[in-house]
Structures are given as structure tokens and as C-alpha cells.
Amino acid sequence: DQQVKQNSPSLSVQEGRISILNCDYTNSMFDYFLWYKKYPAEGPTFLISISSIKDKNEDGRFTVFLNKSAKHLSLHIVPSQPGDSAVYFCAASASGAQKLVFGQGTRLTINP
Amino acid sequence: NAGVTQTPKFRILKIGQSMTLQCTQDMNHNYMYWYRQDPGMGLKLIYYSVGAGITDKGEVPNGYNVSRSTTEDFPLRLELAAPSQTSVYFCASSYGEPAYNEQFFGPGTRLTVL
């Protein structure tokens, strides 16, 4: 039972344009959502998060949008840069939970 | 600060062999985690610990064991290695609950079982 799903295994975007990565979840108890970024041969690193009391959180070029009724969140990167090429994991957790549930990841490639 | 360190970086095992993947963090974090990443399958939680002496199973614990005798160390033991355990293993730590506290990951151990 995949509680967090990233249905696009890969995404290719031109440098300077917007990258939109999508994530869906099924567990209504999830109320915190996070994005992690992973470069090859490295461990994932935290990127940005959002609480269910918000519908948007912004940090520089990165914005996460949350649509609770659709159980959907998205990560927007504007403008996209070559250094953004990486695998992006969506993750979710419930308040008080001791663990995260990760999606399968989306490989983002930014083309010059 | 070294952060989260994992050894070895690479290992090839024969079916039926055993090994221990080492994980150490120097951030005085209470929470520690072991994940495996299979191609296209994301990160699956194997075991986690919320403090020394406390461990619990994640999604995919079968074939693995852990111990947490100190705050710093969280070794993962593979007994009777099987080809299905071929994967990249990541150790992570956080100060507290992962919803509110960033998880810091090690660089990973790439394990092949032949």
C-alpha cells in the first residue's frame, strides 16, 4: 500500500523555466509534508516542508503547495537551474509520528 | 562535525554471509533510522530508534537486526544475506520527530549480494 505516490519517475525542464514536481497521498492522518533532494552517490538532504494548516510555503526559488481536499502537493522551482538536477523525494508524517513515509522519487533534469 | 557517517561505502556479499553496516552520528540526535533504496522504489524504512536502548521495526524489517546501545551508534546487522537485500542503505538521524526536525542522512552503503 503506497501511501505517498510520485507518479512521474522523471521530468526534464529547460534552464530558466519552471519545474513542477507532484506528489499524492492517501492517509488522511498525514499533516506534515516534506521534500528531500538527492544527488548521485550522496544521501538525501532536506529541502522544504509544509504543515497542513498552510496551503503554501516559500523558500527562495522553491515553493510547496498543498491541496488537502485533493490530497495532493506540488513543489515548484522557479527559475530552474542546472544544479537543481537531482532526485526529489516527497515525504509525509502525522503529528506525533516517529517516522516519515517517502514517495518513489522523481528524477529532475535541467537542460541548458 | 562529521554529521552521519556510514561504513563501508561498498560491499559484495555471497548468499548466506552476514555483515554489519555501521552508522555513527556526532550531533547528539535522539532519533536514528535505517532505510534502503531500491531502483524506482524510493526509501523504505527498515528499523528506527528514538533513543539508546529503544528500537522498532519499519516497513521492511525481515532479514535485518539492529541495536542502539549508545546515542551515537546504530548498527544494522544482515544475517544470511539474500539477493533481495541488494540495495543502497542509508542511515539518518534527527533531533526529534521527523515531521518537525530535519533528517540528516549519511552517504549510503551500496551492497550487492551474489
Side-chain angles (χ1 to χ4, degrees), chain A residues 32 36 38 43-44 46 98, chain B residues 33 37 90 100 102-103 105-106:
Chain A
Y32 281 88
Y36 279 78
K38 184 184 179 305
F46 171 75
Q98 297 167 337
Chain B
Y33 305 84
Q37 184 190 12
F90 290 101
Y100 321 111
E102 176 182 351
Q103 282 194 6
F105 285 79

Side-chain angles (χ1 to χ4, degrees), chain B residues 1 14 48-50 54-55 61 64 73 75 94-95 97 99 106 111:
Chain B
N1 279 353
K14 294 182 179 178
Y48 66 100
S49 168
V50 300
I54 306 169
T55 62
Y64 307 95
D73 300 306
S94 64
Y95 180 74
E97 292 174 7
L111 175 68

Side-chain angles (χ1 to χ4, degrees), chain A residues 4-90:
Chain A
V4 178
K5 297 181 184 179
Q6 294 176 256
N7 291 318
S8 298
S10 63
L11 177 67
S12 187
V13 174
Q14 196 169 2
E15 182 179 358
R17 306 293 290 266
I18 184 171
S19 296
I20 300 176
L21 293 86
N22 294 304
C23 178
D24 297 295
Y25 62 97
T26 57
N27 190 336
S28 300
M29 298 301 293
F30 289 150
D31 54 5
Y32 281 88
F33 305 90
L34 307 93
W35 287 91
Y36 279 78
K37 175 179 179 179
K38 184 184 179 305
Y39 292 119
E42 295 182 10
T45 55
F46 171 75
L47 184 59
I48 192 170
S49 64
I50 188 167
S51 159
S52 61
I53 63 173
K54 294 184 174 182
D55 54 17
K56 175 182 173 181
N57 189 28
E58 195 170 352
D59 183 2
R61 296 186 297 114
F62 302 91
T63 303
V64 56
F65 296 92
L66 176 62
N67 183 335
K68 291 185 289 294
S69 60
K71 292 191 176 67
H72 176 84
L73 62 152
S74 60
L75 174 68
H76 292 212
I77 306 173
V78 182
S80 300
Q81 298 175 354
D84 297 328
S85 295
V87 176
Y88 290 78
F89 291 102
C90 172

